[in-house]
């Protein structure tokens, strides 16, 4: 299979000015896949100039005109679905089933924002009700401008599309920085853009390191807004840099999300939702429900069933159809997760199951799904995001105690509630500090709903109409009637 390995600037594939490259690795084998161009500040300047040049015409298009391009891109994604699924599993380590789901959601997202782009036309010039009759006022929506999109490696193409689709729908032009760990699938957007006949310069794709490219993006004076998904620590640096030029910023950051299971829950269902919430994508999710709170009445029975279910998770080659959990995506993350597990062994928690690296005979960044119980509240295992298949468990007695434990975190991205008591659900949805709450089910995320968190989990919202609004400026006209 041939891979795209150059930079995509102004509608063309070009070599980096410094001729630097990044080696991309298969996390299941630790073998190199390809050498990809590494952009630096010089390449960024060219991309920003291309985006700035393309902005006036793209911004002047109607929403309906931009929707045509978004739908062409959606059809191009569908046409190369098999290739994209293969690339994601190869470079990221997701199972085939997970990759197939992601790619389907990519085309759905493009179609959704095509619809919103069309609706935006009908909102332009909408009247504002005023308290006097001598004036009339109207609301107009305009693209923010040139936007920098910085995305992580855990959901590469999907996270990019969550940003790119609304940005293009709004009339922005974009510089997309994929993670240097998983750039292969996002570079495919270059050919997709060309196939969709997207005007040159509207989309530019620059793989590169955080130091050589991400940092310059956050400081660049001609980038009007930054949208970043990644760790809270890096998000703080992005926000600090953006403040120097009062640049708009959206941040989708980390989490240490709780799942609350009450005595009246169906244990079989609860165990299924617990496992999907922490072991999907090998636990590499900012929304992973990595803190499990179980009411005392079912605590022993649930732990027994949970241990049994975790033992049935098959870890291995993500291309194998019967494998349910692949490797971690890169060596640094692999080493971080193993260190967190080792710390868990010494913090006073009890290891229920797992706790080891993959089979010694296997190459790759494999880690067993791991569960610790009776985890101390002041331990890193309970407090810090691990970003891997590691679950921390505690029991609780009352609803009030469960809420206190759930909210005792600097993060607030998601929470999951498992109970059959409808009045309790109403109380909990009000009391829990989270941007998205899942009730009696897995984390089924729809493009029509919002995504983002409170506290240190970020600023702003992606998806839904809020995702489009994030790339729009509001302008009012107020006319005096003589």
């Amino acid at each position: 299979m041939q891979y795209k390995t150059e930079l995509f600037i102004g509608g063309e594939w070009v070599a980096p000015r410094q001729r630097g490259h990044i080696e991309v690795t298969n996390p299941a084998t630790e073998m190199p896949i390809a050498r990809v161009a590494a952009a630096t500040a010089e390449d960024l300047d060219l991309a920003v100039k291309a985006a700035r040049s393309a902005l006036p015409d793209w911004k002047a298009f109607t929403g309906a005109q931009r929707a045509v391009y978004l739908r062409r891109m959606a059809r191009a994604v569908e046409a190369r679905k098999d290739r994209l699924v293969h690339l994601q599993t190869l470079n990221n380590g997701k199972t085939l089933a997970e990759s197939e789901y992601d790619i389907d959601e990519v085309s759905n997202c493009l179609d959704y924002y095509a619809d919103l782009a069309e609706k935006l036309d009908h909102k332009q010039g909408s009247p504002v009700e005023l308290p006097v009759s001598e004036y009339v006022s109207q609301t107009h929506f305009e693209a923010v401008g040139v936007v920098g999109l910085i995305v992580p490696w855990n959901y590469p193409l999907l996270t990019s599309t969550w940003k790119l689709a609304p940005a293009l729908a709004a009339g922005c032009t974009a510089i997309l920085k994929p993670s240097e760990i998983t750039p292969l699938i996002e570079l495919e957007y270059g050919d997709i853009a060309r196939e969709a006949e997207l005007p040159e310069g509207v989309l530019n794709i620059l793989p590169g390191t955080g130091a050589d490219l991400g940092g310059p993006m956050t400081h660049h004076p001609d980038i009007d807004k930054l949208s970043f998904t990644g760790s809270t620590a890096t998000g703080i640096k992005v926000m600090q840099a953006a403040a120097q030029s009062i640049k708009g910023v959206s941040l989708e950051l980390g989490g240490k999300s709780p799942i609350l299971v009450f005595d009246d829950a169906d244990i079989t269902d609860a165990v299924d939702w617990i496992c999907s919430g922490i072991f999907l994508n090998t636990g590499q999710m900012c929304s992973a429900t990595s803190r499990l709170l179980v009411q005392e009445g079912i605590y022993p029975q649930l732990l027994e069933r949970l241990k049994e279910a975790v033992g049935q998770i098959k870890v291995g080659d993500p291309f194998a159809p019967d494998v349910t959990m692949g490797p971690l995506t890169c060596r640094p993350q692999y080493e971080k997760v193993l260190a967190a597990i080792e710390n868990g062994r010494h913090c006073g928690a009890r290891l229920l199951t797992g706790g080891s690296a993959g089979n010694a005979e296997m190459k790759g960044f494999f880690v067993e799904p791991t569960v610790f119980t009776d985890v101390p509240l002041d331990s890193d295992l309970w407090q810090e995001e691990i970003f891997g298949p590691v679950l921390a468990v505690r029991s609780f007695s009352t609803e009030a105690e469960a809420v206190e434990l759930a909210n005792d975190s600097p993060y607030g991205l998601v929470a999951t509630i498992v109970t059959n008591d409808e009045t309790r659900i109403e109380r909990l949805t009000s009391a829990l500090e989270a941007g998205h709450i899942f009730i009696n089910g897995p984390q089924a995320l729809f493009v029509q709903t919002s995504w983002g968190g409170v506290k240190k989990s970020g600023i702003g919202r992606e998806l839904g109409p809020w995702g489009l609004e994030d790339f729009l400026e509001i302008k009012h006209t107020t006319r005096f009637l003589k």
Side-chain angles (χ1 to χ4, degrees):
M1 177 180 283
Q2 296 295 312
Y3 309 111
K4 295 298 178 184
T5 59
E6 294 185 301
L7 312 179
F8 188 72
I9 299 176
E12 300 293 335
W13 294 106
V14 298
R17 287 298 183 93
Q18 296 292 334
R19 303 291 174 178
H21 288 84
I22 300 164
E23 190 170 85
V24 179
T25 302
N26 179 344
T29 65
E30 303 182 51
M31 297 299 293
I33 304 169
R35 296 177 76 238
V36 172
T40 61
E42 293 178 66
D43 306 299
L44 176 62
D45 285 340
L46 294 176
V48 171
K49 287 177 183 177
R52 184 64 60 186
S53 177
L55 181 62
D57 288 345
W58 183 250
K59 183 177 178 179
F61 280 2
T62 64
Q65 288 173 315
R66 293 193 292 268
V68 171
Y69 293 97
L70 286 166
R71 291 199 177 96
R72 286 179 187 169
M73 292 173 71
R75 303 292 79 76
V77 168
E78 290 174 345
R80 49 175 47 82
K81 176 181 174 179
D82 289 346
R83 175 179 173 85
L84 296 175
V85 166
H86 178 88
L87 278 175
Q88 178 156 280
T89 295
L90 180 71
N91 192 185
N92 169 274
K94 288 177 184 282
T95 65
L96 285 173
E98 290 172 344
S99 289
E100 288 175 2
Y101 176 86
D102 286 0
I103 303 309
D104 285 341
E105 287 303 303
V106 166
S107 53
N108 289 340
C109 186
L110 289 163
D111 280 330
Y112 175 76
Y113 282 105
D115 291 342
L116 288 195
E118 292 175 333
K119 293 176 182 177
L120 184 61
D121 290 338
H122 303 293
K123 293 173 63 177
Q124 296 289 7
S126 54
V128 178
E129 186 175 341
L130 300 177
V132 295
S133 59
E134 293 88 355
Y135 293 86
V136 294
S137 188
Q138 293 178 312
T139 306
H140 303 268
F141 302 91
E142 294 185 352
V144 165
V146 175
V147 296
L149 313 178
I150 304 175
V151 298
W153 42 260
N154 60 327
Y155 283 86
L157 195 66
L158 185 56
T159 304
S160 297
T161 307
W162 286 3
K163 299 178 187 299
L164 182 62
L168 297 187
C172 298
T173 55
I175 294 95
L176 172 64
K177 181 201 173 299
S179 167
E180 64 267 33
I181 296 168
T182 56
L184 292 180
I185 191 168
E186 268 128 339
L187 284 168
E188 292 289 308
Y189 253 140
D191 275 357
I192 289 169
R194 293 172 73 163
E195 185 175 322
E197 299 180 331
L198 196 68
E200 295 176 359
V202 170
L203 170 61
N204 306 273
I205 309 170
L206 304 183
T209 66
D212 292 337
L213 179 62
M217 283 182 71
T218 63
H219 290 92
H220 203 290
D222 288 329
I223 292 179
D224 300 301
K225 180 184 174 78
L226 294 166
S227 181
F228 170 82
T229 296
S231 71
T232 298
T234 304
I236 291 170
K237 294 178 181 178
V238 170
M239 193 171 181
Q240 289 172 334
Q244 303 307 307
S245 57
I246 318 296
K247 199 186 304 294
V249 61
S250 297
L251 304 173
E252 202 278 278
L253 307 176
K256 190 70 176 178
S257 300
I259 176 168
L260 288 65
V261 182
F262 289 83
D263 283 346
D264 64 340
D266 179 284
I267 291 180
T268 299
D269 286 340
V271 167
D272 285 345
W273 302 332
I274 292 164
C275 287
S276 67
I278 183 60
F279 300 127
L280 184 71
N281 198 30
T282 320
Q284 299 170 124
M285 303 181 291
C286 53
S287 63
T289 38
S290 55
R291 291 186 297 144
L292 170 60
L293 294 162
V294 184
Q295 199 162 20
E296 291 172 347
I298 61 169
Y299 188 67
Q301 304 97 299
L302 188 139
L303 287 186
E304 182 180 347
R305 297 279 288 277
L306 178 60
K307 182 177 181 180
E308 179 184 345
V310 172
Q312 294 173 355
I313 295 173
K314 184 170 182 180
V315 179
D317 178 3
F319 282 100
D322 60 336
V323 164
T324 50
M325 199 174 89
L328 292 159
T329 301
C330 60
R331 177 166 290 282
Q333 190 60 27
Y334 172 72
E335 293 174 350
K336 177 186 174 183
V337 171
L338 289 180
I341 291 172
E342 187 61 25
N343 288 338
R345 295 178 187 274
H346 302 290
C347 74
R350 181 172 69 91
L351 180 63
L352 179 70
T353 187
S356 299
N359 191 312
E361 299 176 359
M362 297 169 59
K363 273 190 167 292
F365 308 130
F366 295 97
V367 175
E368 290 181 327
T370 299
V371 180
F372 285 95
T373 65
D374 306 321
V375 178
L377 293 176
D378 61 353
S379 65
D380 287 349
L381 194 63
W382 187 260
Q383 292 289 337
E384 300 298 328
E385 183 178 43
I386 296 172
F387 220 64
V390 183
L391 179 64
V393 188
R394 287 187 64 93
S395 64
F396 67 88
S397 58
T398 67
E399 179 182 318
E401 182 187 5
V403 170
E404 183 179 0
L405 289 169
N407 288 342
D408 184 21
S409 171
Y411 302 104
L413 186 55
V414 308
T416 297
I417 302 167
V418 186
T419 180
N420 290 314
D421 187 330
E422 289 297 328
T423 58
R424 175 184 286 143
I425 289 171
E426 291 182 13
R427 291 192 301 268
L428 290 172
T429 53
S430 176
L432 291 172
E433 298 168 353
H436 201 125
I437 296 175
F438 299 95
I439 301 166
N440 292 330
Q443 293 187 22
L445 190 59
F446 299 93
V447 67
Q448 294 83 1
T449 64
S450 70
W451 188 246
V454 298
K455 299 192 279 189
K456 287 188 177 180
S457 286
I459 297 173
R461 292 294 183 271
E462 294 184 320
L463 302 184
W466 308 276
L468 179 63
E469 291 167 7
D470 216 35
F471 292 99
L472 291 169
E473 297 284 9
I474 297 173
K475 177 184 286 184
H476 274 97
T477 59
T478 301
R479 179 190 297 269
F480 177 61
L481 302 176
K482 295 181 180 179

